[in-house]
Amino acid sequence: MKIIVISISIFIFGIAGLLNPVRDGFQFFLNPMQYGLSRFARDIKGAVSFFTSLKSIRDDYVKLLEENYDLKSKLLEYSDLKEENRILRDQLKISSEDSFEQRLLLAHVLGNPSDTTNTTYLLDKGTREGIKPGNSVVLGRHLVGVVKEAGAFRSVLELVISPNLILSVKDLQTGTEGLVLGQYGTAIGFSKILPSEQVNEKDTIVTTAKGGKSVPGLIVGEVTFVEQPAAGVLRKAVVNSYLDLANLERVFVILE
Amino acid sequence: MRRYLHLFIVNLMLALLQTSFFAEFVGGGFNPNLVLAFAFGLLFVEKDSLSLISAFMGGLILDFLGFSPVGLSSLLFVLCLELVIFIRQHVFRGWILNFLSVYLTAIVFGLFSAFPKIILVDGEFVGGIFTLVASFIFYLLLDKSAMLKKI
């Protein structure tokens, strides 16, 4: 009976947040150990999946070679455009779009055992390093998610596939705007598309400044399915992230 | 005092394995609850008070490693164990109760893992079985080896 009373008392203290400094200290010391164990498990899983999918890896390799030739020709075209863009920027005195890259903070992914839906991760950096709830988390220019909670030495990252995260986005190819929110914990739903607006499969979806939940211009993913239009009804599309969100190891937090 | 220190170290190692290695390796709701399994292992070898202390310590460690309110896991573990001890003493005892209690406690813990939201994913039902197997392994280890004497 005594232990129940102690447990209830600790729970009340915990709810009031009085034990948060103890938790912060605990997490500070155990962060490297947890990261090491997570990485070890990831390596084992990676090795197992490599040997079990050798054939599909070979097929992917052939496909990637073909894509590589295609991309090399596109790269030539892109470098001309980049140079043209740089000259225009100099002329118009516009600051670089990539300025957020100077405010990036590297964080290791620790997994999140208490989240059985696999839509959040713990990061090994917190408010001590300048992280705040609402910070965008990226890998390259790809949006991974948004910081949901931040402790002194850890923070909770809400992935783009989370049904609790709604972002304002647009189709990069057609300019169609809409909202995305996670579905099924694996894909992302692109909703509120007007019947007259165009969204096609393989289009790239990027964030916009509307709603202010994320840094604009970050890649959310690629459209993989578009619902057939019905008269007068808003359409939906399914977007898949280019990233392997289940196997993230390191991410970058864009600090304010 | 030394006994509590040993319990703390064992629970810390189990909590670390549970929240990092197994969380990554098995993932989602399939993850076995090693801390809970160990506490039940102690209960199966008739160390009632020790199992309560182990559940309390282990639950607290799990809370310190995550973002749920501190004390929630230890309170849930202790309440479930107390209930099982009461049933064993006053109603009936046996392996059916042992297996049911581990499985149901693992499910209850899974329900509250995203507190204040109450979510139950399909994987929890399999995770409960993994926890049950782990508790039986701990029972065998504690029963047959010198591990218990050390604790």
Side-chain angles (χ1 to χ4, degrees), chain A residues 23 27 34 45 116 154 164, chain B residues 19 24 63 65-66 68 124:
Chain A
R23 176 177 11 218
Q27 292 182 350
Q34 269 196 294
K45 236 166 90 175
T116 47
R154 273 189 196 183
N164 301 319
Chain B
T19 56
E24 192 63 48
D63 288 335
L65 288 172
S68 54
E124 298 282 3

Side-chain angles (χ1 to χ4, degrees), chain A residues 225-238:
Chain A
F225 172 77
V226 186
E227 203 178 69
Q228 288 307 309
V233 180
L234 294 173
R235 284 186 301 151
K236 285 178 192 166
V238 176

Side-chain angles (χ1 to χ4, degrees), chain B residues 9-57:
Chain B
I9 293 166
V10 171
N11 272 300
L12 181 65
M13 288 193 301
L14 292 176
L16 279 172
L17 277 175
Q18 181 184 323
T19 56
S20 44
F21 185 83
F22 282 104
E24 192 63 48
F25 200 71
V26 193
F30 299 104
N31 196 7
N33 194 328
L34 299 179
V35 169
L36 183 71
F38 183 69
F40 270 102
L42 284 167
L43 190 73
F44 297 161
V45 290
E46 309 295 331
K47 297 281 176 190
D48 294 7
S49 60
L50 211 58
S51 79
L52 279 170
I53 293 164
S54 174
F56 173 74
M57 277 184 183

